[in-house]
Amino acid sequence: GAFTSTTIDATALTGNLPALNASSLTSIPAANITGTLPAISGANLTGLTSSQMPAGSILQVVAYSTTSSADTSSTSWTATGFSASITPSTTSSKVFIIATFNAETWGAEGAIGTYTLYHDQTTNLGDASYGMGMQSGTNSTAPNYHSRAIGTLTYVHSPGSVAEADYEIYQKNQGPAGGTKVGPGRTSITLMEIAG
């Protein structure tokens, strides 16, 4: 005879169910799922791409550090050689830049240290004249006229490309004489790719 399907009341079911292949469990409405799901380790989350991460997620971090110094008496923007590079994974990503360093002016009472960040050695991310930060003042007497401060530059940049992006500290002397220096001490640059 033919098999007849009958609805069995759930309260009448006892014992163990046979093992089922989970691939046949499809399209279960969320309203029908109750209870607590087991913990899922990050190792089991595979195939998730950076474009699927929520906006604001940190996708990668690059860090650069040096104890070297760079100084100049130029009144034009001058590369320090202190830079970090990151390759964004999507064109919509943003790069959050944090640069910290010791800043110094020297050689004249009127020296004014001006600092900024350049993208790919071509684009000044700060103001063309005043950059992203300045420091001045005279804490000692002739002939050194040293004045020191802690410099921090932060900026969120949208490179709009998946090409490698380089970020470098630049400096110049805004005053009529003397010079400016990044260093001595620890200079660091941290780049964070943020999902757009």
Side-chain angles (χ1 to χ4, degrees):
F3 174 76
T4 304
S5 174
T6 306
T7 302
I8 302 172
D9 187 273
T11 58
L13 295 175
T14 60
N16 296 323
L17 292 172
L20 297 174
N21 182 338
S23 65
S24 61
L25 298 174
T26 60
S27 302
I28 300 172
N32 292 344
I33 300 173
T34 61
T36 303
L37 291 173
I40 301 173
S41 74
N44 293 326
L45 299 174
T46 59
L48 194 62
T49 66
S50 57
S51 62
Q52 295 169 315
M53 297 294 288
S57 296
I58 297 175
L59 303 179
Q60 62 173 313
V61 177
V62 173
Y64 165 85
S65 178
T66 184
T67 55
S68 297
S69 297
D71 63 327
T72 185
S73 57
S74 176
T75 55
S76 298
W77 289 114
T78 304
T80 61
F82 307 145
S83 67
S85 298
I86 192 168
T87 303
S89 54
T90 68
T91 57
S92 62
S93 290
K94 296 174 176 51
V95 178
F96 180 35
I97 311 152
I98 305 169
T100 59
F101 54 94
N102 289 326
E104 180 181 302
T105 58
W106 49 266
E109 288 185 271
I112 301 171
T114 311
Y115 308 92
T116 196
L117 292 166
Y118 265 68
H119 171 235
D120 288 344
Q121 296 83 39
T122 56
T123 306
N124 184 347
L125 299 179
D127 179 80
S129 296
Y130 301 105
M132 296 179 162
M134 300 172 68
Q135 78 95 12
S136 63
T138 303
N139 287 343
S140 64
T141 57
N144 296 320
Y145 294 111
H146 288 147
S147 175
R148 296 181 175 100
I150 296 173
T152 301
L153 308 176
T154 60
Y155 191 76
V156 177
H157 184 236
S158 299
S161 168
V162 292
E164 182 179 77
D166 181 75
Y167 298 95
E168 183 171 356
I169 301 170
Y170 275 59
Q171 65 181 333
K172 69 174 179 171
N173 178 23
Q174 200 77 9
T180 183
K181 178 189 286 188
V182 171
R186 177 70 60 189
T187 295
S188 65
I189 302 172
T190 304
L191 307 177
M192 289 181 270
E193 181 187 0
I194 309 295

